[in-house]
Amino acid sequence: MSESYETILRTVAQVIREDYAGQPECAQRDNAQRWIEAVAAAEAAGTLDDESFVRCMSQYLAAFQDPSLSFEASSKVACKPTTCGFSVRRYGDELYVVEAREDARLAPGDAVVRLDGLAPDDYLAQLIGNPVNGDDPERQLWDDVLASCSQLLVRHANGDEETVPVERLPKPGFAEGLRPPKIEVLEGAGPNGDERAVVIAAHHFADASVLQAMQRHFEDIQRADRVIIDVRDVEEGMIGNAFGLMALFFDRETNLKDLMGQEIVYARYTQLNARMRAMQLARLMDMSDEAGKGWVQAEIEHVAACAGKGFVMEAEFEEDMLFPPAPEGQKTLLLTDVRTSGPGERLVCFARRAASAGCGKVRTVGRATRGSLDYANLLSVALDERFSLVYPMAKTEAAHKGRGTLGRGIAPDVHVPFTPAECTQDLVLRAALVEP
């Protein structure tokens, strides 16, 4: 028999409190009791179904500002992920459309001025917690909140206003949503307009497509005066698929393991986390060759010894990988924004570490990244046959000491504030093209 929505929420809240690695630093963002009361009332009134419950849970977790936290529905749940069909950014008291994908009623430059009759701040004030990634307007992420509205008052770029009912459109699947990389050569770059620039737009690192595109443009990249790497919307993928770009990061031969050194993490070995981690390792054992089974067995024994001990300090190392120096005299710039997370944010971290070590040549342009580097080692716990919670069991030493990136990200070397003009012009790229 399926559990009630309230019971599932109480279980999630307990896992967040007792097992989630983001404690105690995220405790002040936890509005579990208010959500429990709201869900219980809606369930008693018969106004809650699987789809609206998933939206509630997503908003509850969004308040933690940790992109590694997610609430997922299984194939036994009828609801499917939806989108409002466009993306917005906040400027002042309005939300400006920067991309219109599935919803053709809106266009870049249109402004959402009312959400169900309320100004953005007033609408936000009636919600539980803050599900739009904090109070800084430049870092706020409103798309999922818009998808939960009934109607929007839109001011089109020509000044006309229109009330637009919100459409909940099917969100593209993982593979469908992956955009291929794009590489273009631009003349007339540089502060004097006499440089050749190569712009590499990497939208994801889910596969080797970025490296393959770079190989096709090898000569262009080698001859460029400046290379601009755009990771502003990179969220998905594995860092290994981004290593090809790091051949443009260093002004001398550099070993990644030597650059990053020993990284201290704190893994939270509650009884639940130890059990879930042991299950992961057991599956890994089944897939490992003889050489790998010894390492997996040692990890299984380590987890068993740590079970119930809470946070345990551990050491991790980056891969032992040698990167050649970039072409002499070439300038490398990295474009970042608040959606830059996962492997995109790892690239920013490597670039920053290289600069501090005196071997890096990358300058970042744009806005601070998402702040996804604090937590890792994801676990998935089933809540019943319908839902599961994904959460991290480990955190960095910086996060453990209250100096993590959560909620603030990594600031760029050159900050380009968002303005409505960016809806139709790429001001960040323009700044990178002329950066001295």
Side-chain angles (χ1 to χ4, degrees):
M1 179 179 177
S2 297
E3 295 180 331
S4 70
Y5 296 127
E6 180 188 353
T7 299
I8 293 171
L9 174 51
R10 287 184 180 276
T11 301
V12 169
Q14 180 178 351
V15 172
I16 292 293
R17 184 174 61 252
E18 298 179 359
D19 306 285
Y20 169 50
Q23 298 291 337
E25 59 271 14
C26 292
Q28 72 274 16
R29 298 190 179 102
D30 194 344
N31 293 283
Q33 188 54 44
R34 290 182 62 193
W35 275 110
I36 289 170
E37 293 168 2
V39 165
E43 192 164 18
T47 59
L48 201 62
D49 57 15
D50 287 346
E51 183 175 344
S52 56
F53 179 61
V54 170
R55 285 202 301 271
C56 287
M57 295 304 300
S58 296
Q59 288 194 9
Y60 165 55
L61 295 178
F64 290 94
Q65 300 181 34
D66 178 0
S68 65
L69 280 172
S70 64
F71 186 78
E72 300 180 352
S74 75
S75 58
K76 295 186 178 182
V77 176
C79 70
K80 301 296 182 183
T82 58
T83 173
C84 61
F86 58 94
S87 290
V88 298
R89 291 200 73 136
R90 182 167 180 173
Y91 183 79
D93 296 328
E94 298 170 334
L95 308 176
Y96 284 83
V97 177
V98 292
E99 183 182 16
R101 299 178 303 275
E102 297 85 0
D103 194 334
R105 299 171 302 171
L106 292 96
D110 292 346
V112 176
V113 297
R114 292 289 185 273
L115 294 74
D116 289 339
L118 299 173
D121 276 338
D122 294 333
Y123 189 87
L124 195 60
Q126 70 172 357
L127 302 180
I128 301 173
N130 185 320
V132 297
N133 203 42
D135 297 324
D136 182 351
E138 196 165 75
R139 296 184 60 76
Q140 290 183 346
L141 303 171
W142 282 85
D143 292 4
D144 289 342
V145 170
L146 291 182
S148 66
C149 295
S150 297
Q151 61 181 24
L152 307 172
L153 178 62
V154 176
R155 187 183 66 245
H156 293 292
N158 63 5
D160 294 342
E161 292 191 349
E162 176 186 13
T163 297
V164 177
V166 175
E167 293 187 1
R168 295 190 182 93
L169 305 165
K171 182 176 289 187
F174 177 76
E176 294 176 89
L178 297 180
R179 298 164 59 189
K182 181 180 179 181
I183 297 181
E184 57 182 335
V185 180
L186 301 177
E187 301 288 352
N192 299 318
D194 57 354
E195 295 183 14
R196 171 183 291 182
V198 169
V199 181
I200 304 172
H203 303 290
H204 68 85
F205 295 113
D207 53 30
S209 57
V210 173
L211 176 60
Q212 292 165 355
M214 290 177 66
Q215 290 170 337
R216 292 194 295 270
H217 290 266
F218 178 79
E219 292 298 328
D220 289 329
I221 294 171
Q222 289 295 302
R223 294 199 306 267
D225 299 300
R226 64 178 57 202
V227 177
I228 300 172
I229 303 168
D230 185 352
V231 294
R232 284 176 287 178
D233 60 355
V234 168
E235 299 175 283
E236 305 289 350
M238 298 184 296
I239 188 60
N241 289 326
F243 280 163
L245 290 168
M246 290 177 62
L248 306 170
F249 274 32
F250 309 108
D251 52 19
R252 63 173 184 262
E253 189 175 74
T254 301
N255 190 313
L256 183 60
K257 185 175 182 179
D258 294 339
L259 174 67
M260 301 306 293
Q262 177 177 280
E263 296 284 308
I264 299 298
V265 300
Y266 287 81
R268 194 174 192 185
Y269 284 105
T270 60
Q271 293 292 346
L272 173 63
N273 289 352
R275 184 167 67 253
M276 301 301 295
R277 179 60 176 154
M279 292 170 60
Q280 285 182 339
L281 291 167
R283 291 192 291 270
L284 184 59
M285 178 73 83
D286 293 339
M287 297 184 291
S288 299
D289 56 21
E290 288 305 315
K293 288 183 184 296
W295 176 87
V296 176
Q297 183 58 43
E299 282 294 299
I300 290 173
E301 293 171 2
H302 172 68
V303 169
C306 293
K309 291 186 176 181
F311 282 110
V312 175
M313 186 174 70
E314 299 177 338
E316 292 186 351
F317 295 90
E318 286 292 345
E319 294 187 50
D320 190 9
M321 181 170 291
L322 201 63
F323 290 93
E328 186 175 355
Q330 188 178 79
K331 189 177 185 68
T332 304
L333 300 114
L334 196 60
L335 308 188
T336 66
D337 209 331
V338 67
R339 293 189 185 277
T340 304
S341 59
E345 199 165 18
R346 291 293 291 169
L347 284 179
V348 179
C349 180
F350 294 150
R352 278 297 174 90
R353 182 67 66 90
S356 64
C359 62
K361 58 186 295 293
V362 179
R363 283 177 62 78
T364 51
V365 180
R367 292 152 206 140
T369 59
R370 181 69 187 275
S372 67
L373 299 178
D374 289 354
Y375 305 106
N377 297 359
L378 300 184
L379 302 175
S380 178
V381 58
L383 303 164
D384 66 4
E385 73 278 5
R386 295 176 295 167
F387 307 107
S388 61
L389 172 69
V390 177
Y391 66 98
M393 66 168 286
K395 61 184 172 184
T396 64
E397 184 177 29
H400 185 70
K401 294 182 176 180
R403 297 185 283 100
T405 63
L406 188 74
R408 60 183 183 87
I410 303 173
D413 297 309
V414 180
H415 178 232
V416 182
F418 174 80
T419 67
E422 196 171 314
C423 297
T424 54
Q425 306 170 59
D426 194 339
L427 302 183
V428 176
L429 175 58
R430 183 181 298 178
L433 285 169
V434 298
E435 170 65 16

